[in-house]
């Protein structure tokens, strides 16, 4: 602790920090409580100013107990001036270097001046935390000061010496992942989870944010937390409707200040499990999109959907690596890897990210590239929301203006044959053709087209960027399976590519899982139909996506997307009723267990959420052992307190 020899530079920083907080105190806040149970804000300010005069008196040669540790008579609006005067007196009193080595009189006896002054710095740092908490001020405090104060406290105030003349309560355990201020507060006997009245804290945050800040029970709260997934939803203590990156920064700083976890939601498709409490940042208002046709790139904000990005790119004869559903949020899709309509030709969407703007747990807005932050750039692309809130990203676009695509639907009696034919057919097609097959039980409901109502069908989807005539030749073996309920294959503008899957846009309750497999054969086709077909006790949609091609190759700049050796992705999804979850979970497990010999892992974007957190083996299945280890190391570097844990959470490496 070299600073113990001369704590004056630390005092200057601590005084700057305190002065900024004192300047922010409005008269109506003076009666608010603080983490120091015996002080309201007015009494705390009196103690700070009085204590500064006391240590100044010590520096002038007097005894500490000759001066009260309070400052009576200060007007409600006079605290900034009172502290400035006390601070100036302290600077003058301790200007002579000799005072640092001289013995001085402190309340507990005599000590070298440098120790007395270091003790005052510790108190000033601790009281800055007290005041920031009381005011609901979420601006980051000086972490180095807290480390200095904590080191001094452990030397001068060991836990076993509390009580009696030592003016601190018994040390308390720090919260898991606490920063230096949380650890200091707990060591000095403060409740590290202390927070002011939630309504006032939220009001202080609302003053910094351009969008809405809502708490449970307030008008607009339920609509703000709602997403595409309705089986379960977040119930945060505070939801912030961000409009700008600065709004996101304010929300993250607020969460860090109060030790709250953070989650992010744009459209709510990929919700892994419901989060109770914490802060939810809703990015749906951040919908900016820009296309640079010369550079062949698109920039979009955190809430932009592919339905906005695709048409903007199409105006220039370009296409992004979007997924099947235009109403899905683009940023979340890419952060989870991004397996889309052109993937076998160009790879995962995460392979083609140029840059990301992200707010990390320290409240910094960073522009992240492969050169600026290589580890963070690697982890963000595939690691979902574990490392910060991505406010915008720039991605590559590709020269695809039109494609040959659409679908073929076969009725139940041909479903297994269609699946068997499809699986063998995938061995023959070029990389320019990306496809999937869905085994779909359509409900008997009025909103379903009459020719599909109540039917179990095999739906083959095609996206081919080559010549349409060659596309016709390539799909001939599929058409030969037999009569089709639907045959929508055609040449189309890329802007109409959302019609290939025609995914439902209406929010609904569902849960699902997925496995990436090394291969599937005729027996697998039979297993899928037997376990999930018309005779199954659980209504399930099974989708099998053909991988390989560019998906199997390492990108130019590596990322966290795993299992590139997989040949197919098998996902299973079921609608959820009131009491269905365990029954659905068992049915899904039965299917994936049957495929287990060929399973190589799981895919983040297709683990639709079953209300359970992904931990241990489930996380390793997403990223592989080596990938998971590196991700947790990056997590420890950028989010050691695990602030961003309301997702497929990766705990920081220890």
């Amino acid at each position: 602790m070299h600073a113990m020899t001369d704590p004056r530079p630390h005092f200057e920083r601590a005084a700057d920090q305190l002065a900024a907080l004192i300047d922010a105190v409005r008269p109506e806040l003076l009666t608010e409580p603080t983490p120091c149970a015996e002080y309201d804000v007015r009494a705390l300010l009196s103690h700070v100013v009085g204590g500064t005069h006391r240590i100044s008196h010590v520096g002038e040669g007097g005894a500490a107990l000759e001066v009260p540790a309070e400052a009576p008579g200060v007007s409600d609006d006079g605290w900034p001036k009172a502290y400035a005067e006390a601070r100036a007196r302290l600077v003058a009193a301790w200007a002579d270097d000799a005072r640092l080595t001289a013995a001085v009189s402190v309340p507990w006896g005599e000590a070298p001046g440098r120790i007395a002054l270091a003790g005052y710095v510790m108190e000033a740092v601790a009281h800055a935390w007290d005041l920031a908490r009381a005011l609901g001020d979420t601006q980051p405090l000086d972490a180095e000061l807290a480390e200095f104060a904590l080191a001094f406290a452990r030397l001068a105030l060991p836990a076993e010496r509390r009580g009696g003349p030592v003016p601190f309560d018994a040390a308390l355990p720090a919260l898991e992942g606490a920063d230096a201020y949380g650890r200091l507060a707990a060591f000095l006997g403060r409740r590290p989870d202390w927070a002011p009245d939630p309504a006032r804290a939220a009001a202080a945050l609302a003053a910094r944010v351009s969008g809405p800040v809502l708490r449970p029970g307030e008008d607009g709260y339920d609509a703000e937390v709602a997403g595409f997934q309705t089986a379960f939803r977040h119930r945060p203590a505070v939801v912030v409707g961000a409009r700008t990156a600065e709004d996101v920064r304010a929300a993250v700083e607020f969460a860090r200040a109060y030790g709250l976890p953070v989650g992010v939601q744009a459209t709510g498709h990929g919700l892994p499990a419901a989060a109770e409490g914490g802060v939810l940042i809703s990015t749906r208002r951040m919908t900016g999109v820009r296309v640079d046709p010369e550079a062949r790139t698109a920039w979009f904000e955190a809430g932009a959907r592919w339905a906005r990005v695709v048409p903007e790119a199409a105006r220039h004869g370009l296409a992004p690596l979007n997924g099947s559903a235009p109403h899905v949020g683009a940023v979340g899709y890419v952060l989870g890897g991004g397996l889309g309509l052109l993937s076998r030709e160009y790879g995962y969407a995460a392979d083609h990210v140029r840059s990301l703007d992200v707010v990390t747990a320290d409240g910094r807005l960073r522009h992240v590239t492969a050169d600026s932050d290589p580890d963070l750039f690697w982890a963000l692309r595939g690691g979902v929301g574990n490392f910060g809130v991505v406010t915008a990203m720039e991605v590559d676009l590709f020269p695809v203006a039109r494609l040959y695509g659409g679908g073929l639907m076969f009725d139940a009696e041909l479903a297994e044959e269609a699946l068997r034919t499809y699986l063998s057919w995938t061995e023959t097609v070029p990389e320019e053709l990306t496809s999937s097959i869905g085994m779909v039980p359509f409900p008997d409901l009025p909103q379903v087209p009459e020719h599909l109502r109540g039917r179990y069908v095999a739906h083959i989807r095609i996206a081919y960027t080559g010549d349409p005539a060659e596309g016709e030749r390539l799909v001939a073996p599929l058409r030969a399976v037999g009569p089709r309920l639907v045959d929508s294959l055609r040449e189309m503008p890329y802007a109409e590519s959302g019609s290939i899957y025609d995914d439902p846009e209406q929010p609904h309750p569902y849960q699902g899982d997925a496995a990436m497999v090394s291969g599937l054969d005729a027996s697998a086709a039979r297993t899928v139909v037997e376990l999930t077909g018309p005779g199954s006790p659980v209504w399930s949609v099974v989708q099998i996506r053909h991988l390989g091609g560019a998906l199997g190759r390492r990108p130019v700049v590596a990322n966290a997307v795993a299992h590139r050796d997989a040949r197919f992705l098998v996902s299973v999804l079921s609608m959820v009723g009131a009491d269905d979850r365990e029954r659905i979970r068992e049915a899904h497990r039965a299917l994936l267990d049957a495929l287990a010999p060929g399973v190589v892992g799981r895919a983040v974007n297709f683990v639709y959420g079953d209300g359970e957190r992904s931990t241990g083996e489930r996380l390793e299945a997403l990223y592989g052992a080596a990938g998971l280890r590196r991700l947790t190391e990056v997590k420890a570097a950028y989010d050691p307190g695990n602030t961003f844990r309301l997702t497929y959470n990766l705990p920081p490496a220890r």
Side-chain angles (χ1 to χ4, degrees), residues 89-282:
R89 180 184 175 191
L90 187 153
V91 170
W94 290 92
D96 187 348
D97 291 350
R99 299 304 299 155
L100 298 177
T101 55
V104 298
S105 175
V106 290
W108 59 88
E110 285 196 348
R114 59 186 174 81
I115 299 300
L117 188 56
Y120 171 78
V121 172
M122 179 200 72
E123 281 209 57
V125 173
H127 288 320
W129 182 86
D130 294 331
L131 190 54
R133 279 297 175 101
L135 300 177
D137 190 310
T138 59
Q139 298 287 352
L141 298 174
D142 188 327
E144 188 178 317
L145 283 177
E147 296 288 1
F148 169 84
L150 182 58
F152 179 85
R154 285 173 171 156
L155 288 172
L157 299 167
E160 60 271 15
R161 287 173 49 191
R162 303 295 171 86
V166 179
F168 294 95
D169 291 332
L172 298 173
L175 298 176
E176 181 181 357
D179 63 10
Y181 279 90
R183 288 183 277 120
L184 173 65
F187 189 78
L188 296 180
R190 272 87 154 166
R191 277 183 47 209
D193 60 348
W194 189 94
D197 174 69
R200 189 173 58 75
L205 175 60
R208 294 185 60 195
V209 172
S210 61
V213 175
L214 302 166
R215 297 173 57 243
E218 295 181 343
D219 288 345
Y221 174 90
D222 287 339
E224 195 66 41
V225 301
F228 189 79
Q229 166 67 282
T230 64
F232 43 86
R233 64 179 56 177
H234 291 311
R235 302 296 298 177
V238 178
V239 57
V240 178
R243 296 184 186 279
T244 66
E246 285 303 309
D247 289 349
V248 173
R249 284 189 64 243
V252 171
E253 288 171 358
F254 173 86
R256 278 296 305 274
Y258 295 118
L260 299 174
V262 172
V264 185
Q265 179 168 287
T267 64
H269 282 75
L271 186 65
E276 294 292 330
V279 176
L280 178 66
I281 301 173
S282 170

Side-chain angles (χ1 to χ4, degrees), residues 30 297 321 612:
L30 291 170
T297 61
L321 297 184
E612 292 186 344

Side-chain angles (χ1 to χ4, degrees), residues 140 249-250 252-253 256 359-365:
R249 284 189 64 243
V252 171
E253 288 171 358
R256 278 296 305 274
V359 176
T360 44
D362 55 7
R364 286 180 56 192
L365 176 60

Side-chain angles (χ1 to χ4, degrees), residues 9-85:
H10 280 70
F11 162 72
E12 288 293 345
R13 288 163 57 186
D16 286 342
Q17 184 165 265
L18 259 178
L21 288 163
I22 293 171
D23 285 346
V25 177
R26 302 186 305 275
E28 64 268 23
L29 299 178
L30 291 170
T31 57
E32 293 292 332
T34 75
C36 292
E38 68 271 29
Y39 295 139
D40 62 11
V41 172
R42 178 184 280 107
L44 178 62
L45 294 180
S46 177
H47 177 69
V48 167
V49 173
T52 306
H53 281 297
R54 172 180 275 188
I55 194 67
S56 300
H57 183 68
V58 169
E60 292 163 351
L65 294 178
E66 294 171 352
V67 175
E70 288 78 33
V74 178
S75 64
D76 286 356
D77 60 356
W79 292 107
K81 180 181 178 183
Y83 181 68
E85 291 172 349

